[in-house]
Amino acid sequence: MAGRGGCRRGREQLELERLGEAARAGSCPPSPPLSACSRQAWSRDNPGFEPEEEGAAAAAAAGPVLEMDVEWGSPAAGASSSLGSGAAGQGGGGGGGRRQRRLPAGRGGAEVPSRHQVPPDGAAPHRAAWAKRLARRLRGLWGTRLMEESNTSRERYLKSVLRELVTYMVFLVVLCVLTYGTVSSSMYYYTRVMSQLFLETPVSKMEKTDFKTLSTMDDFWKFAEGPLLDGLYWEMWYNNKTMAENKSFIYYENLLLGVPRIRQLKVRNGSCSIPEDLKDEIKDCYDVYSVANEDTAPFGLRNGTAWTYTNEKDLNGSSHWGLIATYSGAGYYQDLSRTREVTAVQIASLKKNLWLDRGTRAAFIDFSVYNANINLFCVVRLLVEFPATGGLVTSWQFQPVRLIHYISTFDFFLAACEMAFCLFVFYYMVEEILEIHIHRLHYFRSLWNCLDILIIVLSVVAIGISIYRTSTVDMLLKKLLEDQNSFPNFEPLAYWQMQFNNIAAVTVFFVWIKLFKFVNFNRTMSQLSTTMSRCVKDVIGFAIMFFIIFLAYAQLAYLVFGTQIDDFSTFQDCIFTQFRIILGDFNFTEVEEANRILGPIYFTTFVFFMFFILLNMFLAIINDTYSEVKSDMAQQKAEMELSDLIRKGYNKAMIKLKLKKTTVDDISESLRQGGGKLNFDELRQDLKGKGHTDAEIEAIFTKYDQDGDQELTEHEHQQMRDDLEKEREDLDLDRSSLPRPLSSRSFPRSLDDSEEDEDEDSGHSSRRRGSSSSGVSYEEFQVLMRRVDRMEHSIGSIVSKIDAVIVKLEAMERAKLKRRDVLGRLLDGVTEDERLGRDNEIHREQMERLVREELERWESDDTASQMSHRLGTPLGLNGQPRSRNSRPSSSQSDGIDGGGGNGGNNIHV
């Protein structure tokens, strides 16, 4: 304490000398240095302040000035700006991401000039400084973790991450409301009732054929004359009363817009080549559909659009991807009528004059309806494809779209969300541009940065499609109202609406995936990303081996089963079918019926290699990597996480609102209840009941228990009381004496002040700022605790092993004593036989057998000793390693036995 006080007095004397030099040089008049209490009070009233050694040293070197630091998150926020003509010329240090304002500081009667007290001759520098501050404020809005300096403190870094996370969560909520607000369950029911009407209605009461099961051209005309007319024109109520004239309401709710259109595409005769041997038998040949083979010549009646070709541009059409081929938007078309009778006559005329022939490859039926109850359009397309093999294949599209916006109150709320979404897109565009400007090409090395760019690009494309769709639908509706007997071509709008839905879906998916970027700051959740990044090389190697075998089986299946099984009819279908087999979705009967030999062989070997071997190898790779990551993270030093920062802010807010007591209050109350005597168990029990952790309690007690007797003496007790009273005075001064500044401003403290102040706001009283002699930090304490736990576990295992060795040695000594007694009796018997002159052959055989057993036991002990040396050298009773090939002599056995023993009883062979 004396050394620290002397250091402080030396620094204050140095500051006073610098003040004197500055005053003699014409600078501002000297003012008293800022007291420790004032600096401490200001710092504790600004929870966002983190003192740094560089900043403290710079403040000490610059004189008795107070710096107001405003954190904007960006390291490139510029140098410090000052007020007044004198300050404008000084500059001043200023780290990245701060705006520093230097003001003469003092206490008591010291006068602090206001920010608006500017000399008349400094108006121009003041305006320039104000413009710079405004620019820094605007740039600070885009401060992210990538704009922080590498040497920034962990807490400040997490604050930038937290602000970025909150902003991103608001963006995610706006995007979800915007996307889900345009989709409802009514769209599904709308599609279902329309599809049931046109797809599942039989062509006649006597036949069960419907649109899905059409097989011939005759079936097509039956559908056109039956279910199609019945579904399009609802002119009578169920009581046979006529509905509104020239208007058709499907299901009495859906208005038929304009008139329907029927269109076909043909290929010309002779588009394929006929073998020479069959030219006499086959005169006509129509190839599969392609734009090059398309027939454009008039046919049939050769008048009207139904018999003459119209190109795609005049029809304002677009290509369509069918089941067999991709068809253009041109062709021969017939616009139907608004009444059922006229439409029936038109269809009958087309059928009579053979509108569909051998060259027909596709027939389209297009119409659109609108339901005002739910404000939805339904664009319908029924497609009948006529392949070159004969027969026909049907497909359909029912696309419910919301083309008219901003009608209800919820629509206007969605409009506000659209505006907010556009602002967020602009915000993130500026943010990414600033980050690219700072990091250059290194910016694109991060996968998360590339994902940000992708989200912005998709968002801009979605905005462009939405604007185009809104502007185009107004023109189409205006044209439809002018001529209600024309065909309203909503198909391009439906196409762009489908693309918009796809882009919106992908954007929402990537936006949700990006949450892992922020979740990874949690120690537990980061294990997933670390595991995937570590095992990526092994997974790539496994994927190469997997797909080599997988594609080999796909080729085999396509060639063997492709002509007979629908699931293997194309190579793409083979790939998806094999993935289904891996997941357990398969039809073994079809495979076996297609090929009774290769089918079972293919299925059995595929399941064995892909499921039982390769899939388990993949799981083993992931499992091993996860185990390594988990063990590595257990050994890493614990750092401050987002949850810790949020908990810290919550505790600060509760303390500010006086809803929670500080650590100072809890300890003071415990000391008062102890009556001057307080041991560790009492303090632990009392403070744990008030919500403090064992680590905090042990750190506090260890700080003041200097003799280590687990009890506070009177001197230690008084020292704790003095420190607590000092902390209480600082807090009272913080709350009452000083005006409350903005939350993002604070006065920096010098290095010696940071050594004295404890981090009370975080709840860890043992954590000191800038101090290396007052104890360890909370993180270091946690690491040491884990090490001690591991040591205790290891020591317990060693003690148990030693106990087992001692028990075994005792058993060996008891057996040795028994053998020694037996050998002694045998020796006495041999000696007695020799003395009496009797035959001692029996005693000698018994002695040789015992000696042989002893030698075999020694050899077995040598083998066990060698095995133990491979695992680790066993220790003897004195802690020395036992020799591998040494045999214990009987004299050593006697010494172990305790004590010496009779030397005459030892037997040496």
Side-chain angles (χ1 to χ4, degrees):
M1 297 296 293
R4 186 176 298 176
C7 181
R8 184 185 301 109
R9 287 193 296 273
R11 292 187 178 182
E12 293 178 353
Q13 184 66 26
L14 180 60
E15 291 181 357
L16 291 176
E17 292 177 359
R18 290 178 177 175
L19 281 175
E21 294 176 359
R24 288 190 296 272
S27 301
C28 59
S31 59
L34 182 65
S35 66
C37 294
S38 176
R39 287 191 295 268
Q40 186 179 14
W42 269 106
S43 65
R44 295 196 182 278
D45 198 32
N46 292 268
F49 172 71
E50 278 293 333
E52 298 179 1
E53 295 182 1
E54 294 82 4
V65 294
L66 300 182
E67 295 184 3
M68 296 186 67
D69 296 349
V70 181
E71 299 181 9
W72 294 107
S74 172
S80 60
S81 59
S82 55
L83 295 178
S85 58
Q90 292 178 0
R98 293 187 177 184
R99 178 174 60 83
Q100 300 178 350
R101 223 168 21 124
R102 297 201 170 194
L103 301 174
R107 293 190 62 184
E111 181 180 359
V112 180
S114 173
R115 66 167 67 184
H116 298 293
Q117 296 178 359
V118 183
D121 55 348
H126 172 67
R127 287 193 297 269
W130 179 84
K132 290 181 179 179
R133 287 197 300 273
L134 179 61
R136 294 191 188 103
R137 285 176 181 267
L138 293 176
R139 186 175 182 180
L141 295 175
W142 284 274
T144 62
R145 61 186 182 88
L146 290 180
M147 298 182 186
E148 290 287 347
E149 292 180 346
S150 59
N151 57 354
T152 306
S153 64
R154 176 70 177 178
E155 183 171 355
R156 182 177 301 170
Y157 177 79
L158 289 179
K159 286 180 180 178
S160 299
V161 173
L162 182 60
R163 187 181 68 172
E164 189 177 356
L165 173 61
V166 172
T167 305
Y168 188 77
M169 289 301 298
V170 176
F171 169 71
L172 178 60
V173 170
V174 171
L175 179 60
C176 290
V177 170
L178 192 59
T179 52
Y180 295 129
T182 57
V183 180
S184 65
S185 59
S186 300
M187 292 185 172
Y188 165 73
Y189 294 116
Y190 198 14
T191 303
R192 192 180 71 173
V193 297
M194 295 298 293
S195 61
Q196 287 177 349
L197 178 62
F198 291 98
L199 302 181
E200 299 179 8
T201 303
V203 295
S204 66
K205 295 181 180 180
M206 304 301 295
E207 300 182 31
K208 295 183 179 180
T209 304
D210 55 17
F211 182 80
K212 295 180 179 179
T213 58
L214 298 180
S215 59
T216 63
M217 289 186 179
D218 185 46
D219 292 338
F220 172 81
W221 290 116
K222 289 180 181 179
F223 168 78
E225 294 175 338
L228 180 62
L229 291 180
D230 295 337
L232 288 176
Y233 302 100
W234 292 54
E235 298 177 350
M236 303 291 291
W237 284 94
Y238 55 85
N239 59 357
N240 295 327
K241 286 189 178 181
T242 306
M243 297 180 62
E245 186 178 359
N246 292 333
K247 289 184 180 179
S248 175
F249 285 89
I250 302 175
Y251 284 116
Y252 310 112
E253 301 291 346
N254 305 281
L255 175 64
L256 179 63
L257 300 177
V259 297
R261 170 176 291 178
I262 182 171
R263 176 173 62 94
Q264 74 157 324
L265 287 170
K266 302 179 61 176
V267 295
R268 63 181 180 271
N269 186 13
S271 55
C272 55
S273 58
I274 302 174
E276 293 292 336
D277 297 338
L278 299 176
K279 281 187 176 181
D280 295 336
E281 301 294 334
I282 301 175
K283 304 298 182 180
D284 300 326
C285 181
Y286 298 89
D287 200 356
V288 297
Y289 175 83
S290 67
V291 177
N293 296 332
E294 194 171 311
D295 188 7
T296 59
F299 73 102
L301 301 180
R302 298 179 178 270
N303 58 353
T305 57
W307 309 99
T308 57
Y309 181 83
T310 306
N311 57 36
E312 182 175 324
K313 183 178 180 181
D314 295 337
L315 283 177
N316 192 23
S318 59
S319 60
H320 180 86
W321 186 15
L323 297 179
I324 299 177
T326 300
Y327 304 97
S328 68
Y332 307 87
Y333 73 93
Q334 174 68 55
D335 287 340
L336 304 179
S337 176
R338 294 178 61 85
T339 61
R340 178 188 178 95
E341 292 76 11
V342 178
T343 301
V345 172
Q346 292 174 333
I347 293 177
S349 175
L350 295 177
K351 179 181 178 181
K352 180 181 178 181
N353 294 282
L354 202 62
W355 191 63
L356 299 180
D357 57 14
R358 291 183 57 191
T360 303
R361 288 292 174 261
F364 297 85
I365 301 174
D366 297 313
F367 59 93
S368 302
V369 295
Y370 173 71
N371 190 310
N373 300 331
I374 55 178
N375 189 26
L376 284 178
F377 291 81
C378 187
V379 182
V380 182
R381 167 165 286 182
L382 305 178
L383 172 61
V384 179
E385 298 178 74
F386 300 89
T389 58
L392 54 85
V393 179
T394 59
S395 59
W396 52 88
Q397 281 187 355
F398 294 86
Q399 301 179 24
V401 293
R402 191 185 304 275
L403 299 178
I404 301 177
H405 299 276
Y406 318 124
I407 295 178
S408 63
T409 304
F410 184 72
D411 291 339
F412 287 104
F413 171 73
L414 292 180
C417 292
E418 290 176 354
M419 296 177 61
F421 177 75
C422 295
L423 291 177
F424 270 111
V425 171
F426 174 76
Y427 171 83
Y428 283 116
M429 287 178 64
V430 176
E431 178 182 295
E432 302 308 317
I433 290 173
L434 292 176
E435 292 179 355
I436 293 174
H437 176 72
I438 293 174
H439 298 279
R440 305 294 179 181
L441 294 179
H442 294 279
Y443 170 87
F444 297 97
R445 294 185 178 180
S446 173
L447 179 62
W448 298 116
N449 295 337
C450 297
L451 184 60
D452 292 338
I453 297 296
L454 179 60
I455 291 174
I456 292 175
V457 171
L458 292 176
S459 301
V460 172
V461 172
I463 292 173
I465 293 177
S466 179
I467 295 174
Y468 168 78
R469 179 194 59 191
T470 305
S471 59
T472 306
V473 70
D474 293 336
M475 297 186 338
L476 275 177
L477 290 178
K478 183 178 179 181
K479 182 179 179 181
L480 176 63
L481 293 176
E482 293 176 354
D483 186 7
Q484 297 186 6
N485 292 319
S486 62
F487 169 73
N489 190 10
F490 285 97
E491 195 275 331
L493 281 180
Y495 169 79
W496 286 113
Q497 178 64 34
M498 184 172 59
Q499 301 306 318
F500 174 82
N501 293 339
N502 295 336
I503 293 175
V506 174
T507 304
V508 172
F509 172 78
F510 284 129
V511 168
W512 276 102
I513 291 298
K514 190 186 171 184
L515 282 180
F516 280 103
K517 174 182 179 181
F518 304 100
V519 173
N520 285 339
F521 287 96
N522 183 275
R523 185 181 184 88
T524 303
M525 301 300 294
S526 62
Q527 293 181 1
L528 174 62
S529 60
T530 307
T531 301
M532 297 305 297
S533 61
R534 283 196 183 183
C535 69
V536 62
K537 293 183 179 179
D538 295 334
V539 171
I540 291 176
F542 166 80
I544 294 174
M545 178 177 58
F546 176 85
F547 281 107
I548 288 176
I549 302 176
F550 188 85
L551 293 177
Y553 273 102
Q555 290 279 1
L556 172 65
Y558 176 63
L559 296 176
V560 175
F561 314 116
T563 60
Q564 302 180 49
I565 303 177
D566 179 60
D567 291 337
F568 297 93
S569 59
T570 63
F571 185 71
Q572 295 85 350
D573 291 338
C574 291
I575 293 176
F576 293 121
T577 302
Q578 290 188 157
F579 278 117
R580 289 169 53 192
I581 293 176
I582 294 176
L583 297 177
D585 180 16
F586 57 88
N587 190 343
F588 176 73
T589 304
E590 289 185 349
V591 175
E592 186 179 19
E593 290 177 354
N595 194 312
R596 300 178 63 182
I597 298 176
L598 292 180
I601 294 176
Y602 158 80
F603 181 82
T604 304
T605 56
F606 177 80
V607 171
F608 177 76
F609 285 108
M610 305 302 297
F611 185 81
F612 291 104
I613 296 180
L614 293 180
L615 188 59
N616 285 282
M617 286 179 60
F618 174 75
L619 296 178
I621 292 173
I622 300 296
N623 188 30
D624 292 344
T625 308
Y626 179 77
S627 301
E628 294 176 2
V629 170
K630 193 171 183 179
S631 61
D632 292 345
M633 285 191 171
Q635 299 176 2
Q636 291 179 359
K637 182 178 179 181
E639 292 183 341
M640 189 176 187
E641 298 180 358
L642 274 178
S643 58
D644 300 329
L645 181 64
I646 296 174
R647 189 182 303 110
K648 179 178 178 181
Y650 171 77
N651 292 332
K652 288 181 181 180
M654 298 298 289
I655 293 174
K656 294 288 185 181
L657 297 175
K658 298 183 179 180
L659 299 177
K660 180 180 179 181
K661 291 184 179 181
T662 61
T663 309
V664 176
D665 297 330
D666 293 336
I667 298 175
S668 300
E669 185 177 352
S670 300
L671 290 176
R672 286 195 301 270
Q673 294 177 357
K677 296 181 179 180
L678 188 65
N679 57 29
F680 179 73
D681 295 332
E682 294 176 354
L683 181 64
R684 177 194 292 268
Q685 184 177 1
D686 193 9
L687 293 184
K688 285 195 70 174
K690 297 176 181 178
H692 298 280
T693 62
D694 289 336
E696 296 174 356
I697 300 170
E698 292 178 4
I700 294 172
F701 202 90
T702 304
K703 175 182 176 182
Y704 294 101
D705 186 18
Q706 299 177 359
D707 52 6
D709 58 352
Q710 295 295 313
E711 187 172 350
L712 296 180
T713 62
E714 187 65 28
H715 175 68
E716 296 168 349
H717 193 177
Q718 186 62 36
Q719 183 179 359
M720 182 182 287
R721 285 176 178 268
D722 295 341
D723 291 345
L724 292 176
E725 290 298 329
K726 184 182 299 183
E727 291 286 341
R728 186 181 300 280
E729 291 176 1
D730 293 341
L731 290 175
D732 294 339
L733 181 63
D734 181 18
R735 294 173 180 174
S736 60
S737 300
L738 294 177
R740 189 172 303 278
L742 295 175
S743 61
S744 59
R745 299 182 179 180
S746 60
F747 290 110
R749 298 176 294 177
S750 60
L751 185 59
D752 53 352
D753 293 330
S754 65
E755 291 176 353
E756 294 182 352
D757 297 336
E758 299 177 3
D759 193 0
E760 172 216 57
D761 297 327
S762 64
H764 308 310
S765 301
S766 65
R767 187 182 300 173
R768 317 284 288 191
R769 293 184 178 178
S771 174
S772 60
S773 62
S774 60
V776 298
S777 65
Y778 177 71
E779 292 80 3
E780 294 173 349
F781 179 76
Q782 291 292 332
V783 174
L784 294 175
M785 285 291 294
R786 287 195 295 270
R787 291 179 180 176
V788 170
D789 292 339
R790 288 195 294 268
M791 290 175 61
E792 290 179 352
H793 179 73
S794 301
I795 291 174
S797 177
I798 294 173
V799 169
S800 63
K801 293 179 180 179
I802 292 176
D803 292 339
V805 171
I806 291 174
V807 172
K808 189 174 182 179
L809 288 175
E810 291 176 352
M812 292 172 61
E813 291 301 321
R814 288 193 296 269
K816 192 179 297 182
L817 288 174
K818 293 180 180 179
R819 287 192 295 271
R820 185 164 49 191
D821 293 340
V822 173
L823 288 174
R825 288 194 298 270
L826 291 175
L827 185 59
D828 293 340
V830 172
T831 305
E832 184 68 19
D833 292 340
E834 289 179 351
R835 187 176 62 82
L836 298 176
R838 294 181 300 187
D839 187 9
N840 55 1
E841 188 65 27
I842 297 177
H843 292 89
R844 289 183 181 275
E845 291 178 357
Q846 294 178 353
M847 185 178 294
E848 289 178 359
R849 186 175 65 255
L850 290 176
V851 171
R852 192 177 299 107
E853 292 177 355
E854 190 71 16
L855 290 175
E856 292 176 355
R857 185 179 62 81
W858 284 346
E859 291 178 357
S860 63
D861 290 344
D862 288 340
T863 304
S865 176
Q866 293 176 3
M867 294 297 296
S868 63
H869 270 283
R870 295 175 183 175
L871 301 177
T873 304
L875 298 178
L877 295 178
N878 295 329
Q880 298 296 330
R882 197 175 104 184
S883 177
R884 176 176 297 182
N885 296 322
S886 62
R887 295 180 178 176
S889 63
S890 58
S891 61
Q892 291 174 345
S893 302
D894 291 339
I896 293 174
D897 198 306
N902 188 5
N905 294 332
N906 297 337
I907 298 175
H908 298 277
V909 180

